[in-house]
Each structure stands twice: as structure tokens, then as C-alpha cells.
Amino acid sequence: TVQGIQFQGSYKFEEYTLLTSYTYLNSKRRDPINGTNPSQFDQTHNLNLIGIYERSRWSFSARFRFVSGGPYTPIEGSIYDNDSDVYIPTRGEFYSQRFDDFLQLDFRIDRKFVYKTWILSAYLDIQNITNSNNGQGISYSYDYSQKENAAGLPVLPIIGMRGEF
């Protein structure tokens, strides 16, 4: 079952534009083995705030994003299988824990160069300026005694150009 609601809004005043969106989503999945649990990609809260300032051929924008952490099934220990020489994980309750909430701040600068028959745009886009750790998985040691969050993208600067004909 999926239940949710989404709000969107925008406001423009002279060269300023503000955009916002918020989504609340409750997504559950039922199966005969594990019962009813959050679905694999359930992220209950998702908030985006975007501000844009445009002046002449320049554009400056920033985005703030908050996303609640997704669910995962914890590993609570392991059992050594002597015959196969491997450790077998013992899992906790299905999707009973969540990754930490995620905050992200992005910034972008655009400049347009207008010619008679085409437009060239150059931009600098810096994603995740705060270098927030977006937990997307867990890496375990060979015997499951230690774990480490597998992070998403670090600070990601992108420089680019685009032509419009």
C-alpha cells in the first residue's frame, strides 16, 4: 500500500524565483514470509527548496534538499560454517532500521553568450557542497563483526557548456 501527499509552490518577484516541494510518502509491502514492512525505497519525507536569481545573462541558483533515510535490514551477528569456511549473517527484523536523514546543498552559476543564430551557455554546478554522507548501503567485514556505511556522492563540482541552435 502507498499513501502520500505532495505540495508544490513557486513565487517570482522581479529577478528572484523561489520554488518548493514537499512529499510525504508511506509505502508498505506485504509478503507471506516477512509480513508487512516498509518497502525497499520508502523515504517518508522529501523536501526541496530552490532559490534562483537571474540578472542579465547571469543566473545563480541554490537548492537545499532534505530526505529521510531509507529502510534496511540489520545484520545482528554471524555464524561460522566450518564446512564451507564462511560466515553466515544472522539478520534482524526485515527493514526494521533506517539510514540517517540526508541533507544536501547545491549551488549553480550559469552565463549565457547570445550570438545571432545560437546561444552558448557555460556553467559551474557544485553538488553536495556540505559533503553530507548519504547512507545508501552498508559494507560488512568478512565475519560481520564490523560495518561501515557506503556513502553516496561526495562534493561534486561540474563544469560544462551547452549550445542551443
Side-chain angles (χ1 to χ4, degrees):
T1 61
V2 178
Q3 299 172 343
I5 191 165
Q6 181 174 11
F7 298 100
Q8 292 182 345
S10 64
Y11 178 75
K12 185 156 178 70
F13 178 74
E14 296 177 1
E15 60 265 352
Y16 297 95
T17 303
L18 298 173
L19 306 164
T20 185
S21 70
Y22 171 75
T23 302
Y24 171 81
L25 181 67
N26 187 347
S27 174
K28 297 210 179 278
R29 185 175 190 159
R30 184 177 2 182
D31 71 58
I33 297 171
N34 298 304
T36 302
N37 298 288
S39 67
Q40 181 180 2
F41 300 106
D42 180 62
Q43 291 179 321
T44 310
H45 303 281
N46 191 332
L47 172 69
N48 285 283
L49 302 171
I50 301 169
I52 305 167
Y53 172 75
E54 294 177 295
R55 182 77 181 212
S56 183
R57 294 181 179 161
W58 288 92
S59 175
F60 302 88
S61 58
R63 177 182 76 159
F64 170 78
R65 182 169 73 121
F66 167 82
V67 180
S68 57
Y72 70 93
T73 303
I75 293 181
E76 297 176 339
S78 65
I79 299 170
Y80 179 68
D81 180 352
N82 195 32
D83 293 337
S84 302
D85 192 30
V86 295
Y87 286 86
I88 300 170
T90 53
R91 300 185 189 280
E93 191 174 330
F94 195 64
Y95 289 140
S96 62
Q97 294 188 6
R98 289 188 173 268
F99 292 106
D100 292 338
D101 295 340
F102 176 65
L103 300 172
Q104 179 176 337
L105 182 62
D106 303 334
F107 183 72
R108 183 177 174 119
I109 301 172
D110 287 90
R111 171 71 162 99
K112 287 187 178 182
F113 301 91
V114 180
Y115 301 101
K116 283 186 178 183
T117 58
W118 66 292
I119 299 172
L120 176 67
S121 298
Y123 61 87
L124 169 64
D125 190 358
I126 305 173
Q127 297 181 12
N128 197 16
I129 286 177
T130 57
N131 199 23
S132 296
N133 182 358
N134 181 7
Q136 296 181 335
I138 299 176
S139 297
Y140 292 93
S141 62
Y142 72 98
D143 62 355
Y144 298 92
S145 63
Q146 298 175 341
K147 65 181 181 177
E148 180 179 320
N149 281 349
L153 291 175
V155 174
L156 181 62
I158 301 167
I159 298 173
M161 298 179 99
R162 183 176 106 185
E164 299 175 42
F165 298 93

